[in-house]
Amino acid sequence: MKINIFNQTTFESRHNGNLDDSVNQMLNKVNASSTEQLISETVPADIRLKNPLDLPAALTESEFIHSLQKIASKNKVFRSFIGMGYYETLVPTVILRNILENPAWYTAYTPYQAEIAQGRLEALINFQTMIIDLTGMKIANASLLDEATAAAEAMRLLDATKPKSKKKAMKFFVSDKCHPQTLSLLVGRAVPLGIELEIGDITKLDVTDENLFGLLIQYPNTDGHIKNINSFIAAAKENNVSVAVASDLLALTMLTPPGEMGADVVFGSAQRLGVPMGYGGPHAAFFAINEKDKRFMPGRVIGISKDAEGNPAYRMALQTREQHIKRERATSNICTAQVLLSVMASMYCVYHGADGLKNIAHRIHGFAKITDKVLTKLGYEIVYSQYFDTIKINTTTEQANKIKELAEENEINLRYFDNGNIGISFGERSEYEDLETLSAIFAKAANKDSLKEEIQEFAQNIELSWEDTVIRKSDFMTHPVFSLYHTEHEMLRYMKRLENKDLSLVHSMISLGSCTMKLNATTEMIPVTWSEFGQIHPFAPLNQTEGYKELTDNLRTWLCEITGFDDVSLQPNSGAQGEYAGLMAIRGYHLAKGDTHRNVAIIPSSAHGTNPASAVLAGMKVVITKCDGNGNIDVTDLKAKVEKHKENLSCLMVTYPSTHGVFEESIIEICDIIHQNGGRVYMDGANMNAQVGLTSPANIGADVCHLNLHKTFCIPHGGGGPGVGPIGVVKDLAPYLPSHSVVEIRGEIKEGGASHPISAAPYGSASILLISYAYIAMMGGEGLKKATQRAILNANYLKSVLEEHYPILYVGKNGRCAHEFILDCREFKKTVGVEVVDIAKRLMDYGFHAPTVSFPVAGTLMIEPTESETKEELDRFAQAMIQIRKEIQEIEGGNFDTQNNLLKNAPHTAGRLLADTWNFPYSRQQAVYPLEWVKERKFWVSVSRIDDAFGDRNLVCSCIPIEEYEERELAEVK
């Protein structure tokens, strides 16, 4: 036998789910002689690419790791004392290994199906409880994207909840002592909304101004100063002015909470609670409000309800899918959270408890106090005497330049202000040796001896010297969950118990339409926790981040090739943020041309709810165009709408393939209609998994498109975040992509130029860009094309199997679907009262997560199998769906009551199975082992069906009462 030493296993063969024999069997089922025939019958010929993707040759997994190590070595990991909302932290290794690096946590989906998400829902309610306690507020959400975008959400919420006396007020005041990235982002957000943003000295603010509706204060401020803000808040409230406070969670373990002073919103970043800096993200922002404004809360709120057996159960009480109901009337376009990072932060607090957090905070403050004493003795002036972790030194530019040179020689980064002052911010990783190094640097700059011996003396005599009014008196995190798990064994077991309650991709396929739950390969994930990527501050000097620059430059080039666009911005840290960034680029283009009147966005009725919500945030007026009976855009209606609004037309927002899972044949004509009338075409990239390598947004005629890297390009969903939504644009829109105020990445921010930042950090969630980079590098152009072909084949195979049992709602002209399709289940409700949610719950008994429920059409299931699933897994899912159809037929035939049957009572728990009584008209076997293969793959649901109506009527968004918690803990022990 001849041996071929060049024959290596490719990554593509691991990613794509089927071998040749399986492919042939599936092609036979869909009545296609080849994959190419199937594709030609699915994708319109006039949009097909003429040439293959010009991407580097695919790397094997070992080759990729070796190549990335070389890139990583170009990043210089200096100690960071920059602050500005990003701090060195210690990730407890038990959390690093068992949460961040654990696919059972990072491959789960957003917990819309609460019965199979009780683990992360509990972790998230722990997060909310911790936020409520520390901020002194009444209700908190389960995280936002970052601190700066949370500030924008606060501004929008305060605008939406203005009292009657302030309904015409349009001014929002922001303290100039907020972080600079927050200020810049707020300017960009305020303008299209018509909000008059004023940035200035809070002490000079006239709160009696009738046009003032809200103000924002940073506490402690960006310079580190702790000012008693109680009087500002009181004065504002007396004049019906609402107050938002940006704060720091560790500082709030020592500071009087803003909620106790009357704040309306408190927000900030939870990054320093055990989440790496990651060159800017991802991190979880927190957001807390008062009870009266709960219906305006952006993002998701986890609440407590009860299940069918009366047991406490968690659910999403307030969901971001409000956009699908309110659409252009939504107050926020937020459609994701930072669940994985929120879980890490909550576990960090569970592990440390209140006393542990206070100890970390005291230690950090102690380092700042000692440094204050040392520098004062060396002759430096400390600007503020009351601070938490950050001191500001009054140096000249000449002094600062000398100190910077010495600091960088010692691999230390400090903050350097424009006026020559220096900031030093301490974090959890700070050590005694850092004090000696900093002392030596500042001493040498002042031509003095280091105070090594004095440091030891200072360390023995540190006292808290804040004024009494700012010192926290109230307790926090008193719930038992924050005191039970401080040993590693107990913490490990607690996380494992929660993990076991959740279904993720480690159990079975998750066929959510429009969500692309594909493989998140281990090799793609491994580099995320490398220190060369994780321990870099987003505002580190550029000569220390050359590895990141090479990686982001390559990724932008590759995404340009894949999309056909001329430029790409990686900054948006979610799909909805990508939508907003793309629309702002279109807005900037029109403004630069003097077309200030072009503000109409035409959006199909089938669009994702974030589309109209994003358009409104970009200052546009939304006009809805109809879909025809086949689910396609009604071209006649579109022409009429364009003709009516052609003078003011800004853009069309379109998803392709359509939200209905079909390649619309008229897409080029649609784009031409918009262009001929002065508008631009925005393409929602939610369905890019059906385009890559076969067609592209630019080839179709789009001018801008956002990409969901957490869908098409393998970033895991993390149980509901993080996500990344970069945008690609044609050449004449590139000048209007987002820049950044701290790290200039696209030139000066100005009207008719680069837009204000979309995210707090220059490259958004930079550290997880590695995952998409890895995917493309290991797949190569041909591998990516095969993935798209396989995704379309898998969807059409499942459609062919299931259409014998369920009606298929929409197909293309040749009877094909794209990468997803819709099962029409509406008739079941009419005939026997079975709703689509009943099918979703019954699937849990088979060990599957439901497809997308009632979107984009109510009463339907949208199924997207992705390319990563094997024929065997597709067949198991199909068998489950077919068996459920038979169960429905049993009801139709009168064998089961319409209210007491396998579907209405699903899911079935082990507790219900083992109960002494079984009052159901079917066997235990039918309930939990409906098919033979379920026995060896059984996923036991931890709660029975949750009562959503009860949860809505009794909104509780913090940990369950102590008594019930104790009872449950005892039950788990037994």
Side-chain angles (χ1 to χ4, degrees):
M1 181 182 78
K2 194 171 183 179
I3 295 174
N4 181 2
I5 63 169
F6 300 104
N7 186 17
Q8 291 180 279
T9 301
T10 64
F11 174 76
E12 184 259 321
S13 69
R14 303 291 193 192
H15 176 86
N16 290 334
N18 289 302
L19 302 175
D20 290 342
D21 287 347
S22 297
V23 169
N24 290 333
Q25 292 171 27
M26 290 195 294
L27 286 170
N28 184 59
K29 180 64 179 177
V30 303
N31 197 27
S33 60
S34 66
T35 301
E36 183 51 45
Q37 181 194 336
L38 172 65
I39 298 303
S40 66
E41 293 174 357
T42 304
V43 185
D46 57 355
I47 66 169
R48 290 286 300 274
L49 294 178
K50 302 298 187 289
N51 299 306
L53 293 175
D54 184 14
L55 294 171
L59 300 175
T60 65
E61 295 180 66
S62 60
E63 288 170 342
F64 169 73
I65 291 294
H66 182 65
S67 70
L68 192 63
Q69 286 170 336
K70 290 182 178 179
I71 294 175
S73 68
K74 298 176 184 178
N75 287 333
K76 299 174 183 176
V77 185
F78 282 20
R79 295 300 309 282
S80 178
F81 297 87
I82 298 171
M84 300 173 70
Y86 302 93
Y87 306 91
E88 291 187 335
T89 186
L90 297 173
V91 186
T93 50
V94 67
I95 296 173
L96 178 73
R97 174 60 59 88
N98 295 286
I99 301 290
L100 182 56
E101 297 179 340
N102 184 348
W105 284 93
Y106 65 68
T107 69
Y109 186 62
T110 305
Y112 291 118
Q113 298 297 332
E115 292 86 354
I116 51 176
Q118 289 296 293
R120 61 189 178 282
L121 286 170
E122 179 168 328
L124 291 174
I125 213 154
N126 292 345
F127 178 84
Q128 290 177 183
T129 302
M130 173 265 292
I131 299 301
I132 290 168
D133 285 1
L134 287 172
T135 61
M137 302 299 283
K138 298 299 182 184
I139 184 170
N141 70 11
S143 80
L144 292 178
L145 301 174
D146 58 39
E147 182 170 329
T149 54
E153 296 295 336
M155 178 176 69
R156 184 80 169 111
L157 183 144
L158 295 184
D159 183 33
T161 58
K162 289 182 292 195
K164 288 182 179 180
S165 62
K166 292 285 185 176
K167 284 302 178 185
K168 294 183 179 179
M170 292 306 294
K171 183 186 291 184
F172 187 72
F173 184 91
V174 183
S175 168
D176 56 7
K177 294 301 182 181
C178 290
H179 293 316
Q181 66 270 24
T182 300
L183 296 177
S184 182
L185 187 143
L186 283 173
V187 172
R189 288 295 183 95
V191 171
L193 294 173
I195 293 173
E196 300 169 23
L197 194 75
E198 182 178 330
I199 299 173
D201 185 343
I202 191 76
T203 63
K204 298 177 181 178
L205 174 65
D206 177 12
V207 293
T208 66
D209 183 349
E210 292 183 358
N211 195 37
L212 179 70
F213 72 83
L215 62 91
L216 169 59
I217 310 169
Q218 187 109 30
Y219 167 77
N221 72 26
T222 189
D223 294 348
H225 185 207
I226 296 172
K227 194 171 182 66
N228 184 357
I229 61 173
N230 195 34
S231 58
F232 294 121
I233 295 176
K237 305 299 283 186
E238 286 176 12
N239 290 276
N240 288 327
V241 175
S242 300
V243 181
V245 178
S247 197
D248 179 292
L249 293 174
L250 276 183
L252 290 179
T253 65
M254 299 173 66
L255 283 171
T256 301
E260 294 180 9
M261 298 184 239
D264 297 284
V265 180
V266 184
F267 67 90
S269 172
Q271 177 267 319
R272 69 189 314 169
L273 301 184
V275 180
M277 290 184 290
Y279 201 42
H283 311 131
F286 64 89
F287 197 92
I289 60 174
N290 290 312
E291 184 79 16
K292 67 180 179 66
D293 297 328
K294 64 187 178 185
R295 295 297 169 185
F296 294 89
M297 172 74 90
R300 305 177 184 132
V301 177
I302 310 306
I304 300 169
S305 184
K306 62 179 182 178
D307 72 0
E309 298 168 71
N311 300 311
Y314 304 108
R315 61 187 277 272
M316 285 201 291
L318 299 172
Q319 303 182 17
T320 57
R321 293 211 168 182
E322 62 128 9
Q323 289 107 355
H324 296 307
I325 302 168
K326 293 184 177 179
R327 298 176 72 82
E328 66 270 18
R329 294 180 292 106
T331 55
S332 171
N333 73 335
I334 292 294
C335 193
T336 190
Q338 301 281 28
V339 169
L340 188 64
L341 300 316
S342 305
V343 169
M344 288 180 68
S346 80
M347 292 301 182
Y348 179 93
C349 292
V350 167
Y351 198 36
H352 287 294
D355 289 341
L357 289 190
K358 282 188 278 190
N359 183 59
I360 293 166
H362 290 163
R363 192 165 176 269
I364 288 170
H365 179 61
F367 283 123
K369 289 280 287 186
I370 294 168
T371 304
D372 177 343
K373 291 177 179 291
V374 168
L375 298 188
T376 299
K377 191 157 187 176
L378 287 171
Y380 293 95
E381 178 191 354
I382 306 303
V383 178
Y384 302 110
S385 60
Q386 194 161 260
Y387 47 78
F388 167 57
D389 61 355
T390 299
I391 60 172
K392 187 176 184 181
I393 305 105
N394 187 12
T395 49
T396 65
T397 301
E398 184 179 354
Q399 285 176 309
N401 289 338
K402 192 171 184 180
I403 290 166
K404 181 178 182 181
E405 182 181 341
L406 292 168
E408 291 185 354
E409 285 177 6
N410 284 273
E411 298 190 345
I412 284 176
N413 288 327
L414 306 175
R415 181 180 180 183
Y416 303 98
F417 292 85
D418 292 340
N419 67 353
N421 286 182
I422 293 175
I424 304 176
S425 295
F426 292 90
E428 189 187 4
R429 287 188 64 221
S430 299
E431 297 289 351
Y432 184 86
E433 291 74 17
D434 297 326
L435 300 174
E436 295 180 338
T437 304
L438 289 167
S439 171
I441 289 168
F442 279 84
K444 188 171 183 179
N447 296 315
K448 295 183 179 179
D449 294 332
S450 177
L451 303 179
K452 192 170 183 178
E453 292 183 4
E454 286 86 343
I455 293 172
Q456 198 165 25
E457 179 186 337
F458 293 150
Q460 301 302 317
N461 298 283
I462 310 171
E463 296 285 343
L464 183 63
S465 56
W466 298 344
E467 58 184 275
D468 186 66
T469 53
V470 302
I471 298 175
R472 184 175 191 127
K473 311 297 191 304
S474 55
D475 292 332
F476 60 91
M477 290 166 51
T478 57
H479 193 276
V481 74
F482 299 111
S483 59
L484 290 173
Y485 309 113
H486 295 174
T487 67
E488 183 164 336
H489 252 155
E490 288 303 315
M491 186 66 190
L492 181 67
R493 291 163 183 162
Y494 177 62
M495 291 189 292
K496 190 65 179 178
R497 285 202 301 276
L498 297 193
E499 175 192 323
N500 290 341
K501 296 179 180 182
D502 289 11
L503 188 143
S504 68
L505 285 174
V506 305
H507 299 98
S508 55
M509 68 181 281
I510 299 178
S511 58
L512 284 153
S514 195
C515 297
T516 316
M517 298 292 289
K518 60 166 68 177
L519 172 71
N520 312 123
T522 306
T523 300
E524 295 163 358
M525 298 298 297
I526 282 176
V528 172
T529 54
W530 291 357
S531 61
E532 294 92 337
F533 295 115
Q535 292 183 16
I536 294 183
H537 193 286
F539 307 148
L542 295 179
N543 63 2
Q544 297 173 21
T545 60
E546 291 176 359
Y548 260 118
K549 185 176 189 309
E550 181 176 339
L551 185 145
T552 54
D553 284 351
N554 286 343
L555 184 56
R556 287 174 56 214
T557 299
W558 297 348
L559 293 178
C560 282
E561 174 63 19
I562 290 167
T563 60
F565 287 127
D566 296 280
D567 205 350
V568 166
S569 169
L570 301 173
Q571 191 179 113
N573 51 6
S574 79
Q577 299 299 85
E579 289 177 9
Y580 177 74
L583 292 170
M584 289 300 288
I586 291 173
R587 183 177 186 274
Y589 165 82
H590 287 310
L591 291 177
K593 290 183 64 182
D595 293 337
T596 56
H597 56 285
R598 288 195 174 272
N599 65 349
V600 170
I602 297 179
I603 302 175
S605 59
S606 62
H608 193 281
T610 58
N611 286 182
S614 295
V616 170
L617 290 181
M620 297 183 183
K621 296 178 181 178
V622 174
V623 173
I624 302 298
T625 189
K626 300 175 184 176
C627 289
D628 62 23
N630 296 318
N632 300 321
I633 292 175
D634 186 327
V635 176
T636 301
D637 185 64
L638 176 66
K639 287 179 178 178
K641 296 288 170 55
V642 170
E643 179 62 27
K644 181 178 179 180
H645 299 283
K646 63 182 180 182
E647 296 301 322
N648 299 317
L649 180 62
S650 174
C651 64
L652 168 77
M653 299 186 77
V654 60
T655 302
Y656 200 77
S658 74
T659 314
H660 295 135
V662 176
F663 282 96
E664 297 185 45
E665 299 285 336
S666 58
I667 186 64
I668 290 180
E669 180 188 1
I670 289 169
C671 293
D672 287 343
I673 292 169
I674 301 302
H675 290 146
Q676 288 163 10
N677 288 276
R680 309 310 294 260
V681 176
Y682 175 92
M683 183 172 287
D684 185 318
N687 293 340
M688 270 298 293
N689 212 49
Q691 284 196 43
V692 178
L694 301 179
T695 183
S696 72
N699 196 55
I700 291 165
D703 300 294
V704 54
C705 177
H706 87 267
L707 306 172
N708 291 309
L709 298 190
H710 49 287
K711 295 183 182 181
T712 310
F713 297 95
C714 292
I715 290 175
H717 283 72
V724 179
I727 56 168
V729 294
V730 294
K731 188 175 182 179
D732 60 352
L733 292 184
Y736 314 106
L737 289 172
S739 189
H740 200 271
S741 59
V742 180
V743 180
E744 191 174 288
I745 55 176
R746 286 190 178 273
E748 184 182 355
I749 299 171
K750 60 181 180 181
E751 192 75 28
S755 71
H756 284 269
I758 300 299
S759 307
Y763 292 98
S765 296
S767 65
I768 57 174
L769 295 175
L770 292 160
I771 300 165
S772 299
Y773 180 90
Y775 173 63
I776 298 171
M778 292 189 290
M779 290 291 279
E782 187 60 26
L784 291 174
K785 179 181 177 181
K786 286 182 179 179
T788 307
Q789 292 172 327
R790 196 61 51 81
I792 292 172
L793 172 60
N794 283 2
N796 278 276
Y797 171 72
L798 260 187
K799 180 183 78 68
S800 295
V801 174
L802 292 177
E803 66 187 356
E804 299 169 9
H805 307 273
Y806 296 85
I808 305 298
L809 195 53
Y810 300 115
V811 293
K813 71 174 186 178
N814 296 314
R816 304 298 189 189
C817 65
H819 64 309
E820 60 190 6
F821 61 96
I822 299 174
L823 295 186
D824 190 350
C825 304
R826 292 174 291 186
E827 193 64 26
F828 305 143
K829 182 177 180 179
K830 296 176 184 177
T831 57
V832 290
V834 170
E835 301 190 52
V836 69
V837 69
D838 299 320
I839 299 173
K841 304 307 180 186
R842 181 56 175 156
L843 272 169
M844 297 175 188
D845 288 328
Y846 290 80
F848 284 110
H849 191 294
T852 300
V853 174
S854 288
F855 177 80
V857 180
T860 67
L861 292 172
M862 183 159 61
I863 298 172
E864 181 186 357
T866 84
E867 71 274 14
S868 299
E869 300 300 341
T870 62
K871 179 178 179 295
E872 290 74 17
E873 183 71 356
L874 300 179
D875 287 342
R876 275 188 289 272
F877 176 77
Q879 288 164 18
M881 290 298 298
I882 292 166
Q883 186 66 23
I884 289 172
R885 181 66 186 96
K886 291 177 181 177
E887 293 169 357
I888 296 172
Q889 288 172 340
E890 291 279 291
I891 305 170
E892 292 170 334
N895 296 329
F896 290 122
D897 182 79
T898 57
Q899 294 303 313
N900 187 8
N901 55 63
L902 285 160
L903 283 88
K904 289 293 183 182
N905 295 328
H908 299 82
T909 63
R912 177 172 278 184
L913 180 75
L914 297 173
D916 293 336
T917 58
W918 181 259
N919 297 319
F920 302 112
Y922 47 84
S923 69
R924 288 176 166 89
Q925 174 92 5
Q926 285 176 293
V928 300
Y929 295 135
L931 292 170
E932 189 63 29
W933 53 259
V934 175
K935 292 180 180 178
E936 64 180 37
R937 294 169 173 268
K938 184 63 182 176
F939 178 86
W940 288 103
V941 181
S942 60
V943 296
S944 55
R945 190 175 304 196
I946 295 172
D947 187 338
D948 289 328
F950 178 87
D952 287 338
R953 292 192 305 269
N954 303 274
L955 185 62
V956 178
C957 302
S958 57
C959 291
I960 61 176
I962 290 174
E963 296 78 15
E964 292 185 34
Y965 190 89
E966 289 173 340
E967 289 172 7
R968 189 186 61 177
E969 288 296 304
L970 287 171
E972 288 184 355
V973 169
K974 293 175 182 177

